[in-house]
Amino acid sequence: MTTTVSTSQAPQGGPGLLQKRTLVTQIPGPRSVELHARKTAAVARGVGVSLPIYVQAAGGGVVLDIDGNTLIDLGSGIAVTGVGNAAPAVVSAIVDQVAQFTHTCFTITGYEGYVEVAELLNELTPGDHEKRSALFNSGAEAVENAIKIARHYTGRQAVVAFDHAYHGRTNLTMALTAKSMPYKSGFGPFAPEVYRAPLSYPYRDGDLSGPEAARRAITQIEKQIGASNLAAVIIEPIQGEGGFIVPAPGFLPALADWSRANGVVFIADEVQTGFARTGALFASEHEGLVGDLLVTAKGIAGGLPLSAVTGRAEIMDAAHVGGLGGTYGGNPIACAAAIATIHSYLDDGLVERAQHIEAVLCHDLDALKHEDARIGEVRGRGAMIAIELVHPETREPDAALTSRVAAAAHAEGVIVLTCGTFGNVIRFLPPLTISDELLHDGIAVLRKVLAHS
Ligand code: PLZ
């Protein structure tokens, strides 16, 4: 007689999961509460958790927790799983690669996957000039490397970042990031030669046009730093953590033109906006922006840690051999995942899907704005949409309402994230594989909890 070894009964993730919000316990359920107590005892407090459910499986547009609750995913792990969690093509690329080899360190002995990801990035990022790419592990690490490269190329030191910017949590990127709590407070001293310039923030800028806002920033840069000292300007085409701020038209092109005219490297941080998220493969495309360097991460590899700097060959090649790298950068498994992920964006119509998600979300949220004056603005592009919550008479940010709404949505089984310098923005970043039904249900829940908050 043979005994059968029972395989895991755990449900598989991916698009096959039941695509319907279903709550079978309170949120968080008892098993999650138990695990959260272990987390509190074992994990450093600084590593916070916004919604303490613990995940069993995820895919399509849902997350299944260990208590059996199915929640609507309007966060994608902060804009990462654009192709969906456990997307079958990505899973199979990863499995194939794992069985071949898991690591060599690309700077010791190379492999094709790394080269292929670089080729894809060079081909797909805006601009038809000659490009090179270098791969890293996280968004912050890639941002740091973009600054290193720009400094080496220009022989200059100063870097300009903007109000409301978010570029990471490492030492240099903390300096670039604008917001003190929770990202910087108590963690200084910060890297020197980082300067801040005013952004274009249409909802709070009055009638300032994009070119006028650019002029305001440029004047400050020229007066306070001097173009000849400036290595790079770094900006997110749409501010992410800072509040999904879409600058007024003309702001970004004017900054890019000024940078080019002054020998300053223009760096587009597309870590959050990249890879179909905004209804274009890269958000720079909405204004025909061709940066000198473009930083990507998050959506690049279906959830595996991978990031990249892509840019003009003469700038990227300025750093000497051995000046760029790291043990894990461009890990073969992450590269295999990236190749499958990037092909999925292109072949599965996910750019168009992001445009469709914009139409669905904006339709529902604009209707909600008409009903509720506390929604000051609905904004964003593609599957990167947000509402800014305010005190209607004064437009003062309402962070307390924002926290209540997010918590109430979580309790109803909808994963939403907050953001914004003033903590008063609720953002929607669904996987591009989410169904219209789940989107409508998610916003219906939002309508309900907003009415009671
Ligand atoms: N640049 C534009 O959005 C990461 C961070 C959330 P890493 N954003 C989410 C948090 O609380 O840490 C981000 C970004 C932009 C850079 C980064 C940094 O990317 O992969 O988190 O290092």
Side-chain angles (χ1 to χ4, degrees):
M1 246 189 81
T2 54
T3 47
T4 49
V5 179
S6 85
T7 51
S8 164
Q9 293 303 302
Q12 300 257 303
L17 275 180
L18 180 66
Q19 299 295 308
K20 190 171 174 6
R21 182 172 61 100
T22 320
L23 300 187
V24 296
T25 70
Q26 282 205 320
I27 299 292
R31 296 174 124 196
S32 285
V33 169
E34 207 181 308
L35 199 44
H36 196 58
R38 280 172 57 197
K39 181 265 175 191
T40 306
V43 179
R45 186 174 66 131
V47 184
V49 171
S50 341
L51 168 52
I53 57 146
Y54 285 77
V55 176
Q56 177 81 64
V62 299
V63 169
L64 174 68
D65 77 7
I66 55 174
D67 289 288
N69 299 299
T70 302
L71 294 89
I72 302 178
D73 183 5
L74 298 183
S76 302
I78 323 188
V80 170
T81 52
V83 286
N85 246 300
V90 178
V91 171
S92 96
I94 290 171
V95 168
D96 289 350
Q97 180 58 46
V98 165
Q100 299 273 314
F101 62 97
T102 51
H103 174 81
T104 67
C105 188
F106 186 76
T107 59
I108 304 298
T109 49
Y111 38 88
E112 188 178 357
Y114 188 118
V115 178
E116 194 174 334
V117 172
E119 287 168 349
L120 282 167
L121 289 167
N122 296 347
E123 184 192 326
L124 295 171
T125 51
D128 49 17
H129 49 277
E130 195 179 341
K131 294 178 207 148
R132 305 276 188 271
S133 288
L135 306 185
F136 305 96
N137 301 289
S138 67
E141 193 188 356
V143 168
E144 292 238 4
N145 277 279
I147 304 291
K148 274 173 65 172
I149 292 164
R151 283 180 168 154
H152 206 295
Y153 173 72
T154 57
R156 305 172 183 174
Q157 296 187 351
V159 178
V160 162
F162 285 80
D163 286 336
H164 311 288
Y166 183 91
H167 298 291
R169 294 166 175 274
T170 56
N171 189 259
L172 175 57
T173 59
M174 271 195 296
L176 295 167
T177 291
K179 192 174 173 178
S180 175
M181 271 304 274
Y183 306 123
K184 304 170 75 165
S185 185
F187 297 126
F190 304 111
E193 287 303 314
V194 173
Y195 300 87
R196 197 160 306 287
L199 184 73
S200 160
Y201 187 164
Y203 181 61
R204 299 198 173 275
D205 262 357
D207 288 331
L208 206 62
S209 71
E212 284 164 352
R215 183 35 55 200
R216 175 175 69 177
I218 289 164
T219 303
Q220 184 172 314
I221 293 167
E222 286 175 337
K223 297 298 165 210
Q224 296 186 8
I225 309 160
S228 62
N229 299 308
L230 190 58
V233 163
I234 181 163
I235 191 162
E236 301 151 82
I238 298 176
Q239 244 75 6
E241 305 303 306
F244 281 26
I245 304 164
V246 186
F251 177 76
L252 294 168
L255 276 179
D257 289 349
W258 178 85
S259 300
R260 190 155 309 121
N262 288 279
V264 174
V265 176
F266 186 91
I267 305 172
D269 179 346
E270 292 238 22
V271 167
Q272 191 153 162
T273 53
F275 294 106
R277 176 57 50 190
T278 67
L281 205 49
F282 296 97
S284 297
E285 293 168 29
H286 295 294
E287 286 204 78
L289 196 68
V290 180
D292 297 311
L293 301 182
L294 186 131
V295 183
T296 49
K298 290 191 187 284
I300 192 173
L304 270 80
L306 187 71
S307 62
V309 183
T310 300
R312 294 184 188 280
E314 66 276 18
I315 302 177
M316 292 295 295
D317 279 343
H320 47 263
V321 173
L324 307 175
T327 307
Y328 294 113
N331 166 273
I333 305 167
C335 286
I339 294 162
T341 298
I342 293 169
H343 283 298
S344 174
Y345 289 124
L346 299 174
D347 302 342
D348 300 336
L350 295 184
V351 171
E352 294 72 23
R353 186 67 204 149
Q355 293 164 1
H356 175 77
I357 289 172
E358 173 178 340
V360 172
L361 283 178
C362 287
H363 172 271
D364 287 11
L365 291 170
D366 283 335
L368 202 51
K369 182 174 181 290
H370 275 103
E371 290 165 21
D372 196 325
R374 295 172 301 172
I375 299 181
E377 191 175 45
V378 178
R379 61 173 177 252
R381 290 190 203 272
M384 184 172 182
I385 303 291
I387 53 174
E388 176 157 354
L389 296 177
V390 296
H391 296 281
E393 308 75 32
T394 59
R395 286 196 176 190
E396 281 296 305
D398 197 341
L401 172 66
T402 308
S403 311
R404 287 198 304 276
V405 169
H410 294 169
E412 297 277 339
V414 181
I415 302 175
V416 289
L417 315 177
T418 60
C419 64
T421 298
F422 312 111
N424 68 322
V425 178
I426 295 186
R427 54 175 154 172
F428 307 99
L429 288 166
L432 306 176
T433 50
I434 196 170
S435 68
D436 287 9
E437 292 70 31
L438 286 172
L439 288 173
H440 289 306
D441 186 26
I443 303 305
V445 167
L446 188 81
R447 166 183 273 115
K448 182 178 135 190
V449 299
L450 195 57
H452 293 98
S453 297

